[in-house]
């Protein structure tokens, strides 16, 4: 097979190109976090991680859940110009929030908030929406754009490390550059157009009643991910926040594996349930995460020292603790797209509410007793609740045996071997 034919086949195969993309994104993420950790040091890294935790929550609130409704809305309204309508909703919303931030800038300054931080949040909101729309509309383009912006991020942080004094503000600047690049690339490649019509506001009016569910769901997801860092910031020194955040970062690298399947399933479940694909994705994601855990046990401590520096070696034990909950988070991530595409928001929110509620309560109690290790224990419990809840719902709804969701089949191994051979 000629090289250009092989490349075309690779790009057009959703799994192969998604794996290629995730591999490159993972490498770029490891390099970025490694350089960032050395550039900032544990204390400034703790400050940065706290800002990013608040940013994740604020972005969810500002997105208002509209873009999460896109797969289900597109299923039901194939005759409409859905992609440009949702693109336009994002534009109008960003303008409104931009004006609000401008008018309230003096208030934010009085609270000592970094003046660039609100801009970072606004652009992160917009690029997240555009990348999701592109994912649903054309997963190939989304993969390419993701590779480009992550590579750009690595280049920018390297330049900071080599030529700039440690500063959280400078890191915000390179995040702004990354997000602007993503916004432009998504707009150009997908040929999105601004719709100046009452149709946009009619769709907003139609969705506003049900957007409450994706907003609450996404907010609960982020609380599940970020509340530990927020609690730690209030209860312990920034140094320990930086150590804990580095441990979480290592665990999140393993989440990249189920993220491959999550992105593919957002694309596939926008049209049908694809239960067999979901089961296959669950089995492979869980198995791969467990392999990563074995690798962490074997060479985790020297690897953390190598990538983040000797100052971060104490984060190894907290990383191991958090990793116990990662298989359950893999289940959650894989099942997430199907439940959203089916519009099963109430079931989804109930599972997340139980997880986030336990996370908040346990963080409040356990951090006082065990410090950052208490936060890790709280994360294990909340991840387990969210993953098991969705797995029980999936199994009962589609009458799928649990072992068919968890244990790898012989056919899976053959499928993977054939895939690698190709």
């Amino acid at each position: 097979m000629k090289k250009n034919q092989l490349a075309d086949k690779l790009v057009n195969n959703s799994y192969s190109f998604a794996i290629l993309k995730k591999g490159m994104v993972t490498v770029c993420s490891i390099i970025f976090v490694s350089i960032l950790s050395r550039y900032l040091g544990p204390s400034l890294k703790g400050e940065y991680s706290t800002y990013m935790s608040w940013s994740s929550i604020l972005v969810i609130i500002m997105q208002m859940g509209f873009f999460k409704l896109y797969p289900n809305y597109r299923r039901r309204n194939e005759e409409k110009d859905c992609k440009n309508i949702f693109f336009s909703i994002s534009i109008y919303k960003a303008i409104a929030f931009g004006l609000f931030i401008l008018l309230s800038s003096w208030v934010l300054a009085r609270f000592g908030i970094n003046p660039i931080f609100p801009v970072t949040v606004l652009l992160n909101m917009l690029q997240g929406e555009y990348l999701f729309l592109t994912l649903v509309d054309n997963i190939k383009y989304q993969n390419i754009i993701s590779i480009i912006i992550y590579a750009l991020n690595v280049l920018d942080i390297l330049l900071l490390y080599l030529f700039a004094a440690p500063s959280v503000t400078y890191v915000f600047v390179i995040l702004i550059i990354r997000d602007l690049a993503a916004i432009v690339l998504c707009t150009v490649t997908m040929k999105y157009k601004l719709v100046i019509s009452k149709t946009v506001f009619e769709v907003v009016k139609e969705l506003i009643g049900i957007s409450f569910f994706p907003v609450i769901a996404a907010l609960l997801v982020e609380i599940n991910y970020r509340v530990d860092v927020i609690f730690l910031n209030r209860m312990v020194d920034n140094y320990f926040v930086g150590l804990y955040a580095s441990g979480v970062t290592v665990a999140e690298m393993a989440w990249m594996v189920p993220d491959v399947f999550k992105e593919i399933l957002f694309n596939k479940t926008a049209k049908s349930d694809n239960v067999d694909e979901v089961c296959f994705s669950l089995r492979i994601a869980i198995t791969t995460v467990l392999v990563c855990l074995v690798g962490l046990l074997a060479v985790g401590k020297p690897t953390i020292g190598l990538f983040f520096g000797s100052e971060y070696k104490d984060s190894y034990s907290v990383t191991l603790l958090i990793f116990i909950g990662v298989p359950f988070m893999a289940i959650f991530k894989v099942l997430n797209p199907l439940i959203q595409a089916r519009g099963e928001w109430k079931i989804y929110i109930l599972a997340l509410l139980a997880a986030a509620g336990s996370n908040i309560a346990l963080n409040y109690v356990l951090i006082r007793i065990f410090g950052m290790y208490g936060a890790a224990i709280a994360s294990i419990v909340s991840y387990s609740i969210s993953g098991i809840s969705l797995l029980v719902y999936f199994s009962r709804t589609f009458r799928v045996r649990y072992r068919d969701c968890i244990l790898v089949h012989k056919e899976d191994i053959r499928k993977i071997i054939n895939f690698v051979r190709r």
Side-chain angles (χ1 to χ4, degrees), residues 352-422:
L352 288 172
L353 193 60
S358 66
N359 205 351
I360 292 171
L362 289 173
N363 269 295
Y364 181 77
V365 174
L366 295 179
I367 290 175
R368 295 176 184 275
I369 303 172
F370 302 110
M372 63 180 181
Y373 301 104
I377 295 169
S379 295
I380 293 169
V381 174
S382 66
Y383 295 168
S384 301
I385 291 173
S386 56
I388 292 172
S389 298
L390 293 194
L391 181 61
V392 169
Y393 168 77
F394 174 73
S395 175
R396 291 181 178 177
T397 301
F398 296 100
R399 298 184 179 181
V400 178
R401 295 177 300 180
Y402 291 115
R403 66 181 182 182
D404 289 333
C405 299
I406 298 173
L407 302 177
V408 174
H409 295 174
K410 291 181 180 179
E411 293 77 11
D412 299 334
I413 298 172
R414 291 196 201 99
K415 188 174 181 179
I416 292 170
I417 291 173
N418 290 334
F419 169 78
V420 172
R421 284 175 177 171
R422 289 198 300 269

Side-chain angles (χ1 to χ4, degrees), residues 51-61 63 117 121 124 218-219 222 226:
Y51 266 119
M52 289 298 99
S53 295
W54 280 113
S55 173
S56 299
I57 293 172
L58 290 171
V59 164
I60 297 301
I61 296 171
Q63 285 173 338
F117 177 64
V121 175
N124 191 248
L219 193 57
E222 288 305 318
R226 311 298 176 188

